[in-house]
């Protein structure tokens, strides 16, 4: 009881601190009278522009295109037009907002000649999508932030200058250069842009806003943990698992509809059909188990006879659940995290190798390492959570034995033998399910949020099955209640 009161008090303190910082930031913002706006892209999915228009937001920058340096191909969703550009552009205007288009740059080199060619290619892509700047439109914008792929300061300035000149020549308006403080600092001397009339928009968060973001995230996390505990105590199933389940399931319609918009109804129905097959397969494997029969000998204690019953040890095919996939993905993220600590303008050879093979996720080497780590962590987790020797000793203690197997060490060896072979099937199953989003990324150029596969489908099915079991258990208790009286 005291622990719960302490937790509630800490949560209240966090909320109070967040409100104080929010009020302080709001008071400062009120003095400056800022103009509120948003930037949107395909990652936001479908946006309720009518509600946005009724708010205090007055302008919107809509993603028109994006690039990916020399790796860019003709793939639309990877470096061509944003599939939501036309809809967002027209809906934002209908909502009464001032609208502008922007291009998300991925500047590439390594020398000045290649940088100019890459900048012209990305500028032409942006111009082809936008077409022209209409009346009352905001200036087009170049969103230039990290990563800068092997570019020094001088070459990066040439890249930005080439892109801006190309867009100005074709659209007859000087574009805005949008960036953040750290990225803009990597360009060095930027007097040319100011001398030639290019507006500069540098995003820079002050201390109150940073504190507000940190406290809001902390308070939101604490609130979700408290809500999960309340659902567990008063509801059915694990509260935190149900919240995660709801979060994943809520993103399915947007992800599927995005496939329809980008690829049409053909691939949409194909993905839905494959998804149903995957769900059925996951349900089948998650329910599969090997039942080891156990016989208990009869024992005379006093004047009563005990034992003589038969039962079984259920060994699930997927004993490890989703843990190996989480461990493997977390371990593979560490090299990419280390790359962020290196010099972006002059990265070492190992950082370039990591960026090429271990960042995007669609390279065969990444898939092979991912699959191998999942298999390893599956065996590792099962070895920690299930001890055949301990199970064998407990069976021997209470007079239990496996028919045809002697109690003691032979029983432990038999359980280890069966468990090793079942775990092999479970590890291969987890590896295949986890590779589905990566294969979709490679074959269909889908994004990393591909709905069917990976940890998402494992969590959805696992939580769903567990919740159904608990509901059935509650129904059985209520149905038998009349007979117990």
């Amino acid at each position: 009881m005291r622990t719960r009161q302490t937790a509630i008090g800490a949560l209240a303190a966090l909320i109070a601190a967040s409100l104080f910082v929010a009020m302080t930031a709001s008071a400062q913002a009120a003095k400056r009278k800022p103009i509120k706006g948003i930037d949107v892209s395909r990652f936001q999915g479908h946006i309720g522009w009518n509600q946005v228009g009724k708010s205090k937001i007055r302008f919107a920058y809509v993603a028109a295109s994006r690039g990916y340096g020399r790796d860019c191909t003709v793939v639309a969703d990877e470096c061509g037009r944003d599939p939501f550009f036309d809809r967002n552009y027209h809906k934002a205007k209908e909502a009464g907002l001032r609208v502008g288009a922007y291009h998300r740059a991925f500047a590439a080199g390594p020398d000045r000649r290649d940088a100019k060619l890459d900048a012209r290619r990305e500028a032409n892509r942006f111009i082809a999508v936008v077409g022209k700047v209409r009346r009352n439109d905001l200036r087009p914008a170049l969103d230039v932030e990290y990563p800068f792929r092997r570019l020094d300061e001088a070459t990066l300035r040439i890249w930005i200058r080439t892109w801006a000149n190309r867009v100005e020549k074709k659209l007859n308006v000087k574009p805005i250069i949008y960036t953040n403080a750290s990225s803009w600092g990597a360009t060095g001397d930027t007097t040319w842009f100011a001398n030639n009339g290019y507006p500069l928009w540098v995003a820079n968060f002050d201390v109150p806003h940073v504190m507000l973001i940190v406290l809001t995230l902390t308070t939101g996390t604490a609130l979700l943990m408290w809500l999960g505990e309340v659902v567990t105590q008063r509801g059915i199933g694990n509260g935190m698992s149900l919240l995660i389940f709801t979060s994943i399931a809520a993103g399915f319609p947007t992800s599927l509809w995005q496939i329809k918009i980008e690829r049409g109804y053909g691939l949409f129905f194909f993905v839905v059909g494959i998804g149903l097959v995957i769900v059925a397969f996951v349900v089948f494997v998650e329910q599969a188990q090997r039942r080891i029969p156990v016989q208990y000998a009869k024992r005379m204690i006093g004047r009563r006879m005990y034992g003589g019953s038969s039962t079984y040890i259920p060994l699930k095919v997927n004993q490890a659940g989703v843990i190996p996939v989480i461990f493997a993905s977390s371990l593979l993220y560490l090299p990419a995290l280390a790359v962020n600590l290196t010099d972006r303008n002059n990265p070492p050879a190992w950082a370039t190798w990591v960026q090429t093979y271990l960042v995007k996720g669609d390279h065969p080497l990444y898939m092979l390492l991912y699959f191998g780590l999942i298999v390893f962590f599956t065996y590792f987790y099962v070895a920690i959570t299930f001890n055949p020797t301990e199970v064998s000793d407990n069976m021997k203690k209470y007079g239990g034995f496996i028919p045809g197997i002697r109690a003691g060490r032979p029983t432990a060896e038999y359980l280890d033998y069966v468990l090793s072979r079942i775990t092999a099937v479970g590890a291969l199953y987890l590896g295949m399910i986890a590779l589905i989003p990566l294969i979709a990324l490679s074959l269909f150029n889908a994004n990393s949020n591909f709905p069917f596969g990976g940890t998402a489908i494992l969590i959805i099915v696992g939580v769903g099955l567990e919740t159904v079991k608990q509901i059935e258990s509650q129904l059985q208790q209520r149905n038998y209640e009349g007979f117990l009286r």
Side-chain angles (χ1 to χ4, degrees), residues 236-253:
I236 298 174
N238 185 285
M240 191 58 66
S241 298
L242 288 175
L243 292 177
I244 298 174
F245 172 91
T246 305
S247 175
I248 297 174
F252 267 55

Side-chain angles (χ1 to χ4, degrees), residues 401-466:
F401 63 93
I402 299 174
I405 306 296
R406 292 180 59 186
R409 183 175 178 181
T411 299
E413 292 176 350
Y414 176 77
L415 290 176
D416 184 66
Y417 173 84
V418 174
L419 187 64
S420 298
R421 280 146 184 78
I422 290 179
T423 304
V425 178
L428 295 176
Y429 151 77
L430 283 178
M432 290 188 297
I433 295 298
L435 286 179
I436 289 175
L438 302 182
I439 295 173
L441 175 66
S442 179
L443 296 180
F444 306 123
N445 299 294
N447 57 34
S448 57
N449 296 322
F450 188 74
F452 298 107
T455 55
I457 199 68
L458 292 173
I459 293 174
I460 287 268
V461 173
V463 175
L465 291 175
E466 187 64 28

Side-chain angles (χ1 to χ4, degrees), residues 298-307:
K298 294 182 179 180
R299 294 182 300 168
M300 180 69 72
I301 300 178
R303 295 183 177 182
R304 293 188 178 183
M305 183 74 70
Y306 292 91

Side-chain angles (χ1 to χ4, degrees), residues 59-62 98-105 126 133 137-145 159-161 163-165 167-168 171-180 184 192-194 196-203:
F59 71 91
Y61 264 100
V62 181
R98 294 283 300 276
V99 185
Y102 76 90
H103 174 79
R104 176 70 168 93
F126 175 75
V133 178
D137 277 3
L138 298 173
R139 294 171 182 258
L142 172 65
D143 181 6
V144 53
E145 303 173 62
W159 193 101
I160 300 173
R161 187 184 308 178
W163 190 95
N165 285 334
V167 171
E168 181 184 2
L171 299 182
N172 298 317
V173 61
K174 289 183 181 293
I176 296 175
I177 310 299
Y178 173 84
T179 183
N180 56 47
W184 192 247
W192 181 89
F193 299 97
N196 287 271
Y198 286 97
L200 177 62
W201 186 356
V202 180

Side-chain angles (χ1 to χ4, degrees), residues 159-292:
W159 193 101
I160 300 173
R161 187 184 308 178
T162 303
W163 190 95
N165 285 334
R166 185 71 174 176
V167 171
E168 181 184 2
K169 180 179 179 181
K170 294 296 183 179
L171 299 182
N172 298 317
V173 61
K174 289 183 181 293
I176 296 175
I177 310 299
Y178 173 84
T179 183
N180 56 47
S182 58
S183 298
W184 192 247
T187 61
D189 182 15
T190 58
T191 55
W192 181 89
F193 299 97
N195 294 337
N196 287 271
Y198 286 97
L200 177 62
W201 186 356
V202 180
N204 189 19
F205 294 102
D206 52 14
V207 175
H209 284 89
V210 173
M211 290 180 61
L212 177 61
I213 293 172
V214 172
L215 286 174
T216 301
L217 290 175
T218 305
T219 305
T221 303
L223 182 62
L224 282 176
M225 294 175 63
W226 172 78
L227 185 60
E229 291 296 326
V230 171
V231 173
T232 302
Q233 294 176 3
R234 300 181 179 274
I236 298 174
N238 185 285
M240 191 58 66
S241 298
L242 288 175
L243 292 177
I244 298 174
F245 172 91
T246 305
S247 175
I248 297 174
F252 267 55
T254 301
S255 300
L256 290 173
W257 194 247
Q258 181 177 336
I259 294 174
K260 179 265 172 189
I261 293 176
E262 296 179 3
R263 303 294 178 177
Y265 279 107
L267 186 60
F268 171 77
F269 287 116
F270 175 77
V271 170
V272 171
I274 293 297
L276 294 176
V277 174
I278 292 173
V279 170
F281 174 70
V282 172
V283 171
F284 174 77
V285 177
E286 291 294 327
Q287 296 285 75
Q289 58 181 222
R290 170 71 182 274
R291 296 180 175 180
I292 307 295

Side-chain angles (χ1 to χ4, degrees), residues 314-335:
L315 299 180
K316 292 185 63 176
V317 173
N318 180 23
Q319 289 255 83
V322 74
I323 298 298
V325 182
I326 297 175
F327 281 4
S329 58
S330 300
L331 192 62
L332 281 178
Y333 178 71
L334 293 179

